[in-house]
Amino acid sequence: MMKNTSLVFLFLLVAVPAATAQTQIRARMTGAPSTVQENQNSSTRNRTVAPNNTPLNDAGMANQPKPAWGDSGVPVAAHPTVVTPPRPTNTRDIPRAAVNQLVKPTSLNVGNSTTARPAPATAPTSTYRVGIGDVLDIRLSNMATRESTLFTVMKNGVLEYPLLAKPLNVAGLTPDEIARRLGAEIKVIQNPRPSVSVRDYASHFVLITGAVDNPGRKVMRREAMPLFTLLAEALPRSDAATVTVVRNGQETSLSVNRTDELSMLVMPGDVIRVSPASGLFVYVGGEIAAAGEKELRQGMTLTQLLLAAGGVRQDRQFTAKISRRDGSGFLRSQDHNLKAIEQGKAADPLLQAGDRIEVRSGM
């Protein structure tokens, strides 16, 4: 009996502390979330900064109502209220001053889309209008032929083309315009597609004379061309100084050394005269083939001048009298035997600007 009592007493000593410990553990586990949340809410509320002039309670915290949407106090900035005026239903109700204030001026010039604008004029330097004597190359892109495709514009300005019912007047038209005219006039072929180009240019030209090595007519391949392109073909001499362009009786003088002036556009029919430096002229007369004013090159002699003027007859004796002004302005004359100069018995005199040469027969 005594032994059983001891066992019961020992069992109670072990079981009661264990049950008490389990109860405390369950209590702590059940109350932990609320305690932690309470601590977090307290710390959050303690970190909330009170606005200026906000009364504090005994604990030193602001007396603010707790937000309904959370535990943390978030200050919200106040925004001014924007009042939008009612929009008028009619634009005529808007004051004119308000419209001028809202609409800013602009430098963009917007034209009326309904107004037709004229097409820009084609530059004369890129246009050629066919004239008398031009040779045209006419081909049909949808028709092969072994016949010649070259046709000359006749004297009356018409083109005789074998597929046309009658000659076509083409003077003054561009090659593209002629092609369109041919496409409309050709009836023996369905849907003709002609192409026209100028093979040989002949109707547009200018005349270049004076101090150039290649004078004469110069053909133009456009309605207008820069002056320097035509001068390059005429080959101005080294003593060339000025260029005179004569158009409809009006003269325009230009300098050979000014490239900007030589860019002047030249038109068909202009006369271009290239002159050496002023004063380099002599005058010849008498029994000579071509009397008149002659250009004087540097180092030119008497016999060279006479050859340039057409020469003298070889079956007769001739004398050339050179008259020249002295320092006082008086003419001094001297005779020269051309036969003796030719035979090397007399010197061939050098000429000076302004000399007057008279060729006479006999001694």
Side-chain angles (χ1 to χ4, degrees):
M1 182 65 180
M2 189 65 178
K3 183 178 181 180
N4 292 335
T5 302
S6 298
L7 292 175
V8 172
F9 180 76
L10 180 61
F11 173 78
L12 290 176
L13 288 177
V14 176
V16 172
T20 303
Q22 290 179 359
T23 302
Q24 292 177 357
I25 292 174
R26 284 195 297 269
R28 285 198 298 269
M29 292 178 64
T30 304
S34 60
T35 304
V36 173
Q37 183 176 1
E38 184 68 22
N39 293 335
Q40 289 179 353
N41 293 337
S42 300
S43 61
T44 302
R45 287 194 294 270
N46 292 336
R47 288 196 301 268
T48 303
V49 180
N52 296 332
N53 302 324
T54 301
L56 303 179
N57 55 20
D58 297 337
M61 299 178 64
N63 293 326
Q64 294 181 351
K66 184 178 180 180
W69 45 267
D71 295 334
S72 300
V74 180
V76 179
H79 295 279
T81 304
V82 179
V83 179
T84 303
R87 183 176 182 180
T89 58
N90 192 346
T91 56
R92 289 178 297 181
D93 298 336
I94 304 177
R96 186 63 181 175
V99 174
N100 295 335
Q101 184 177 4
L102 294 176
V103 179
K104 302 300 182 181
T106 176
S107 60
L108 180 62
N109 185 13
V110 181
N112 189 359
S113 58
T114 60
T115 303
R117 297 183 179 181
T122 306
T125 53
S126 59
T127 306
Y128 185 81
R129 300 191 177 277
V130 172
I132 298 173
D134 290 337
V135 179
L136 305 180
D137 188 355
I138 304 176
R139 300 173 184 268
L140 297 177
S141 59
N142 57 344
M143 179 179 177
T145 179
R146 295 183 179 180
E147 303 296 333
S148 176
T149 59
L150 303 180
F151 300 89
T152 304
V153 180
M154 310 303 291
K155 292 183 178 180
N156 51 0
V158 300
L159 174 69
E160 294 183 355
Y161 190 65
L163 299 181
L164 295 177
K166 60 181 180 179
L168 181 65
N169 190 357
V170 297
L173 301 179
T174 64
D176 291 339
E177 292 173 345
I178 296 175
R180 289 193 291 268
R181 292 282 299 273
L182 289 174
E185 297 291 336
I186 296 176
K187 305 298 183 182
V188 296
I189 299 177
Q190 186 178 3
N191 190 22
R193 293 195 297 270
S195 63
V196 180
S197 61
V198 181
R199 176 68 175 271
D200 295 328
Y201 297 85
S203 62
H204 295 21
F205 59 88
V206 296
L207 181 63
I208 299 181
T209 63
V212 293
D213 292 333
N214 186 23
R217 296 202 319 174
K218 305 302 174 186
V219 177
M220 300 178 61
R221 293 172 175 81
R222 293 292 183 268
E223 292 297 310
M225 296 180 63
L227 175 60
F228 65 84
T229 59
L230 298 171
L231 288 178
E233 186 178 352
L235 302 176
R237 297 201 301 258
S238 59
D239 58 343
T242 59
V243 179
T244 303
V245 179
V246 182
R247 180 183 303 167
N248 299 327
Q250 301 294 327
E251 295 187 357
T252 303
S253 297
L254 310 171
S255 175
V256 173
N257 299 323
R258 294 286 302 274
T259 56
D260 56 337
E261 294 184 358
L262 296 183
S263 299
M264 172 184 176
L265 294 181
V266 179
M267 304 295 180
D270 289 350
V271 177
I272 302 169
R273 185 173 63 248
V274 182
S275 303
S278 59
L280 299 180
F281 295 94
V282 295
Y283 305 89
V284 59
E287 299 183 39
I288 194 71
E293 181 185 81
K294 304 297 177 183
E295 297 175 7
L296 177 65
R297 296 187 186 183
Q298 185 177 3
M300 179 177 284
T301 63
L302 174 61
T303 56
Q304 291 174 344
L305 172 66
L306 296 179
L307 290 174
V312 297
R313 296 174 58 179
Q314 298 295 323
D315 57 342
R316 297 172 60 182
Q317 296 282 344
F318 289 93
T319 301
K321 182 176 70 173
I322 300 177
S323 300
R324 182 178 302 164
R325 294 184 181 276
D326 59 10
S328 300
F330 296 96
L331 285 176
R332 303 297 181 184
S333 300
Q334 184 177 1
D335 293 335
H336 297 272
N337 189 335
L338 298 181
K339 194 68 174 180
I341 295 175
E342 181 181 0
Q343 295 175 354
K345 297 179 180 180
D348 190 5
L350 292 173
L351 300 179
Q352 296 181 9
D355 284 354
R356 304 177 183 180
I357 297 98
E358 182 180 3
V359 180
R360 298 174 298 176
S361 60
M363 297 298 296

